[in-house]
Amino acid sequence: MSALILALDATSRNEALAIAESTARYIDAIKIGYPLVLGAGLSVAGEIAALGVPVIADFKVADIPNTNTLICDSVFQAGCSAVICHAFPGSDSLAACVGSAHDHGGECFVVCEMSHPGGAEWFSGGVAESFCMMAAGAGADGIIAPATRPARVAALRELIGTRKIYSPGVGAQGASPEDVKELVDGIIVGRAIYGAADPAAAAAEYSRRCR
Ligand code: O7E
């Protein structure tokens, strides 16, 4: 049983807000990132949050600690409830993201292994495990792990314990909710909902399948 997170990668503000409004009752959070924010501006985060849906800022933050703090402070001030960052810049950079999140009463999630085919090229084979341990050591609230490789999610679950796992790759990338819903806390679905002819109906169906 998992929450359903809509990856709202629509590139226009009006389209994004229409989809957010029509799907809000079926989803537990909305993830926004560069595709939407570069088109609509960061203020769209507050507009979505005003619908009563928590907003996760997926900027895969990956810089020096000071820059990470500036980025994360901005997204929380804009109304986001969580931020997603990368681990590879190191434990000090990661700690900056976690610190900003917790200073704002928010959450920080760390990418441990990515869902696309190239994500297996170097994340798998020990790197993801190292990132997972870094995430736990930094006090992060959870990690990102690939629904397209359920065995890898299971392996990372062993390491991360009761911290949350959010998992992308369901729908357009080929995975099904049933592949990982018993292993993770949140399933991230993008195109299969926002690109559907009827996004609300698609969200309702994914919501049913995640429970
Ligand atoms: O394939 P879709 O359309 O269902 O969209 C998936 C979303 O999850 C999209 O925003 C993409 O950028 C993101 N994502 C992955 O697809 N794979 C990953 O490994 C990581 C992410 C991601 O969101 O990272 C932070 C959660």
Side-chain angles (χ1 to χ4, degrees), residues 34 42 45 55-86 92-110 141:
Y34 297 111
L42 185 55
V55 179
I56 302 170
D58 175 16
F59 292 126
K60 298 188 179 70
V61 185
D63 214 309
I64 62 169
N66 184 65
T67 307
N68 279 1
T69 299
L70 294 172
I71 294 168
C72 293
D73 285 353
S74 289
V75 306
F76 287 110
Q77 283 156 14
C80 296
S81 304
V83 70
I84 295 170
C85 64
H86 271 302
D92 51 353
S93 292
L94 187 49
C97 296
V98 174
S100 172
H102 293 176
D103 284 350
H104 291 88
E107 294 184 305
C108 178
F109 291 83
V110 180
D141 300 278

Side-chain angles (χ1 to χ4, degrees), residues 139-182:
D141 300 278
I143 63 167
I144 307 300
T148 47
R149 292 187 287 282
R152 296 291 300 145
V153 179
L156 295 175
R157 171 58 82 196
E158 291 289 312
L159 293 177
I160 205 66
T162 55
R163 288 176 210 266
K164 293 179 189 171
I165 300 180
Y166 287 168
S167 195
V170 166
Q173 295 179 54
S176 301
E178 293 77 10
D179 296 340
V180 289
K181 71 178 182 182
E182 305 300 337

Side-chain angles (χ1 to χ4, degrees):
M1 193 169 117
S2 162
L4 174 62
I5 299 163
L6 169 61
L8 189 49
D9 293 330
T11 53
S12 108
R13 174 188 167 275
N14 289 349
E15 186 193 358
L17 289 176
I19 293 168
E21 210 168 332
S22 70
T23 57
R25 56 193 285 227
Y26 304 112
I27 59 184
D28 300 290
I30 287 181
K31 182 180 83 68
I32 62 171
Y34 297 111
L36 176 58
V37 170
L38 291 178
L42 185 55
S43 58
V44 76
E47 294 185 275
I48 295 170
L51 299 173
V53 185
V55 179
I56 302 170
D58 175 16
F59 292 126
K60 298 188 179 70
V61 185
D63 214 309
I64 62 169
N66 184 65
T67 307
N68 279 1
T69 299
L70 294 172
I71 294 168
C72 293
D73 285 353
S74 289
V75 306
F76 287 110
Q77 283 156 14
C80 296
S81 304
V83 70
I84 295 170
C85 64
H86 271 302
F88 62 78
S91 54
D92 51 353
S93 292
L94 187 49
C97 296
V98 174
S100 172
H102 293 176
D103 284 350
H104 291 88
E107 294 184 305
C108 178
F109 291 83
V110 180
V111 177
C112 282
E113 179 165 329
M114 296 191 72
S115 60
H116 59 307
E121 287 170 8
W122 79 287
F123 283 108
S124 302
V127 174
E129 281 79 357
S130 297
F131 289 167
C132 197
M133 297 314 291
M134 275 177 67
D141 300 278
I143 63 167
I144 307 300
T148 47
R149 292 187 287 282
R152 296 291 300 145
V153 179
L156 295 175
R157 171 58 82 196
E158 291 289 312
L159 293 177
I160 205 66
T162 55
R163 288 176 210 266
K164 293 179 189 171
I165 300 180
Y166 287 168
S167 195
V170 166
Q173 295 179 54
S176 301
E178 293 77 10
D179 296 340
V180 289
K181 71 178 182 182
E182 305 300 337
L183 285 170
V184 304
D185 302 279
I187 287 175
I188 298 170
V189 182
R191 287 165 284 180
I193 293 178
Y194 76 76
D198 183 345
E205 177 62 7
Y206 273 103
S207 172
R208 187 189 63 73
R209 291 176 62 191
C210 285
R211 310 301 165 192

